[in-house]
Amino acid sequence: MLFQELLKSVEVHAADGPQNTVLTGITYDSRKVEPGFLFVAVQGFKHDGAEYIPQAVEKGAVAVVAQKAVTVPPNVAWALVADSRQALALMSASFYGNPSTNMRMVGVTGTNGKTTTTNLIASVLDEAGRKTGLVGTIHNRIGARKLVVSHTTPESTDLQELLHEMATEQVSDCVMEVSSHALALHRVDGCEFDTAVFTNLTQDHLDFHPDMQSYLEAKQALFRKLAEPGAKRGKCAVVNADDAYAGSIIEAAAGVEVYTYGIKTSADVRAEDIDVSARGVSFTVTGKWGRCHLGLRITGLFNVYNTLAAFTACAAMGIPVEVIKKALEGMPGVPGRFELVDAGQDFAVIVDYAHTPDGLENVLKTAREITTGKLITVFGCGGDRDRTKRPLMGRIAAGYSDYVLVTSDNPRTEAPLDIIRDIKKGLEPVAENNSYTVEPDRRRAIQLAVRMAQKGDVVVIAGKGHEDYQIIGTQKYPFDDRSEAAAALGALQA
């Protein structure tokens, strides 16, 4: 593609050099530049991409886009734009042939439930005989082929390349987790969605968003995109009517069909006769598409909401209810989401990704409902992230648990005991005497919890879920809560 053709997808403030240069690739990472590439200098949080223009040119970049004046050799084309990050997304979509217009795109956003909901929707689409793509936290998938991930939503160029690969392989439907970071950083600009799903909005990411209003506005952006002019028709929004922010999301979706789901309030799709057990949850779906009883292999009230979101989205796509039912009932669960670690012990061990106040409360509330004994919770909070949620999570853990082991999550560059000190500010006013232990070593904390557990108890290990690493300093070390729990159970039985 010619550089001048690619520039038609963005607003250009100034340009010079050989604009008819042929481009063979596009990247924001100077280390990935190859001869013939366009290098887009993105302003990062720690580094300015403009600093790497000389390295990019040296490696063969033939064009550069930036948001401030740059100096390049006369044989290198350049353009100046208002926002290079947004330009990267729009130009990447154009470079890869706008692949999102060639498949049905379903975007799922919210604080909690994105991973489970996208996997449930993808399972239904698979059952319906569609070739499905999945973009998510645990893995990306093209049909049955799984790919590794680095972000919940990839950087825009990587995302468009992935969507292009899906389109090339005849994927008919793509289901994507859409994070607030991705929306605020324009990673999904250039994607045209058919369906947007809202799960919930609770406190998280306030290290990135200035406040909850900014966090909400980032989520609303996905729904505003539905009403933008595009190639597609018949778009819709699926919204959790029980969430306090439902009205704001519906307002953002003005101009497209909106379907609501819920348990407590009036909605197009509701759940009745809910029965939660350790091994699953059953309920009856009622509303716009009639009545349908579901017996699921996943559990918890929060998963009732996730299932309602998936059911509503799939029904709105025209998939028959009997196909939806078969797929949802056959779903074995999502790695690291209320995942049981079973070595034949007479107590339950559950690993969950819950790392927000609302997420932790949902998991512990469900664990409390299914235990006949004590609830023992192992958790910590991530370093270099929203500090304000730490005491909230400490209070929630102490409020629901009989015993808490406060430990490290991914401390990153913070001292683990500093993070734990923040947690204790919320935990100590609620915790009863001798009802918690501080153990910064996560492996030892898990071992202690397992040794403490007796018949009928439930041990919840929260925060990391599917992750198979722990970030200490700037390094990743192998660590998997599920493997650690299994090893602790094995030692117990030896």
Side-chain angles (χ1 to χ4, degrees):
M1 176 177 280
L2 299 180
F3 183 49
Q4 61 190 10
E5 288 296 315
L6 199 59
L7 289 181
K8 292 179 181 179
S9 59
V10 298
E11 183 179 345
V12 178
H13 289 182
D16 204 354
Q19 300 291 295
N20 61 347
T21 294
V22 176
L23 303 175
T24 59
I26 179 172
T27 186
Y28 58 93
D29 187 340
S30 61
R31 296 166 297 183
K32 296 181 179 179
V33 171
E34 296 179 20
F37 269 43
L38 162 64
F39 175 67
V40 182
V42 172
Q43 177 69 55
F45 298 108
K46 296 181 179 178
H47 303 286
D48 186 347
E51 299 172 8
Y52 299 95
I53 290 174
Q55 292 94 313
V57 171
E58 186 178 349
K59 293 192 70 173
V62 294
V64 170
V65 168
Q67 62 186 51
K68 63 183 180 182
V70 298
T71 301
V72 295
N75 64 321
V76 175
W78 61 269
L80 194 64
V81 297
D83 187 329
S84 58
R85 191 180 290 278
Q86 184 176 42
L88 174 69
L90 296 175
M91 290 190 297
S92 296
S94 181
F95 181 83
Y96 286 106
N98 297 301
S100 68
T101 62
N102 296 320
M103 63 190 88
R104 182 161 55 189
M105 296 286 296
V106 181
V108 179
T109 197
T111 306
N112 300 306
K114 295 187 296 296
T115 299
T116 299
T117 302
T118 52
N119 277 270
L120 289 168
I121 293 171
S123 292
V124 174
L125 291 168
D126 290 340
E127 183 65 36
R130 312 285 291 182
K131 184 166 185 180
T132 309
L134 178 68
V135 182
T137 300
I138 298 176
H139 60 254
N140 297 331
R141 177 165 68 82
I142 301 177
R145 181 162 62 92
K146 293 181 179 179
L147 310 169
V148 296
V149 302
S150 57
H151 297 287
T152 298
T153 311
E155 292 289 352
S156 57
T157 298
D158 304 322
L159 175 60
Q160 294 299 334
E161 184 177 14
L162 175 62
L163 294 177
H164 172 72
E165 190 174 354
M166 289 182 181
T168 301
E169 296 191 28
Q170 304 299 309
V171 163
S172 58
D173 301 75
C174 174
V175 190
M176 183 192 308
E177 291 185 48
V178 185
S179 68
S180 62
H181 287 68
L183 289 159
L185 297 174
H186 301 291
R187 288 180 191 161
V188 294
D189 284 20
C191 290
E192 187 175 352
F193 290 92
D194 298 82
T195 303
V197 180
F198 172 70
T199 59
N200 50 64
L201 188 70
T202 60
Q203 183 176 333
D204 197 17
H205 303 308
L206 295 188
D207 55 313
F208 177 78
H209 301 287
D211 48 42
M212 285 298 292
Q213 180 61 32
S214 300
Y215 187 21
L216 169 64
E217 289 170 1
K219 297 296 188 186
Q220 286 177 306
L222 177 62
F223 295 85
R224 291 198 176 99
K225 285 180 181 295
L226 291 174
E228 292 175 354
K232 301 178 179 180
R233 298 290 181 271
K235 299 179 183 181
C236 72
V238 175
V239 180
N240 178 0
D242 287 352
D243 190 85
Y245 293 95
S248 297
I249 298 297
I250 291 171
E251 181 182 344
V256 301
E257 191 77 35
V258 175
Y259 300 99
T260 57
Y261 64 93
I263 298 172
K264 303 171 186 175
T265 58
S266 176
D268 294 316
V269 177
R270 299 184 72 249
E272 298 177 353
D273 305 323
I274 301 168
D275 182 23
V276 178
S277 72
R279 295 293 174 181
V281 60
S282 65
F283 57 95
T284 300
V285 179
T286 66
K288 190 175 183 68
W289 288 278
R291 295 178 65 87
C292 172
H293 181 76
L294 294 176
L296 306 179
R297 295 159 67 184
I298 57 178
T299 193
L301 189 64
F302 55 94
N303 273 324
V304 175
Y305 278 103
N306 295 334
T307 303
L308 286 175
F311 184 100
T312 307
C314 292
M317 292 181 216
I319 298 174
V321 169
E322 58 269 22
V323 174
I324 299 174
K325 174 181 168 68
K326 183 178 180 181
L328 295 178
E329 292 188 329
M331 180 81 173
V334 178
R337 270 60 177 180
F338 215 83
E339 183 175 352
L340 288 167
V341 181
D342 191 352
Q345 74 276 10
D346 57 4
F347 56 89
V349 177
I350 296 163
V351 171
D352 194 89
Y353 190 53
H355 59 283
T356 67
D358 184 64
L360 184 63
E361 184 169 21
N362 286 335
V363 167
L364 295 185
K365 191 181 293 184
T366 296
R368 173 55 72 191
E369 289 175 359
I370 65 176
T371 183
T372 57
K374 299 189 302 297
L375 174 55
I376 302 166
T377 301
V378 181
F379 91 105
C381 292
D384 302 332
R385 297 294 185 268
D386 180 9
R387 292 184 60 176
T388 64
K389 69 181 182 182
R390 296 171 186 173
L392 300 178
M393 293 177 68
R395 176 172 54 79
I396 289 165
Y400 281 95
S401 310
D402 295 288
Y403 202 88
V404 179
L405 290 108
V406 187
T407 188
S408 296
D409 190 294
N410 291 320
R412 298 183 178 87
T413 63
E414 284 194 72
L417 288 177
D418 289 345
I419 300 171
I420 289 170
R421 192 175 299 114
D422 287 339
I423 294 171
K424 287 171 65 179
K425 290 175 183 176
L427 183 147
E428 287 181 330
V430 180
E432 297 180 3
N433 292 335
N434 303 316
S435 65
Y436 77 92
T437 294
V438 169
E439 175 48 75
D441 185 303
R442 193 172 180 91
R443 177 175 289 112
R444 284 205 291 264
I446 292 171
Q447 291 168 350
L448 283 170
V450 167
R451 287 203 297 267
M452 185 182 298
Q454 298 178 351
K455 183 177 181 180
D457 291 349
V458 173
V459 176
V460 172
I461 306 168
K464 292 176 57 59
H466 65 282
E467 293 178 351
D468 59 2
Y469 59 83
Q470 189 173 27
I471 305 174
I472 302 173
T474 58
Q475 299 295 314
K476 278 187 177 182
Y477 298 90
F479 195 97
D480 188 317
D481 282 352
R482 298 162 297 182
S483 299
E484 295 297 334
L489 289 167
L492 192 68
Q493 297 171 355

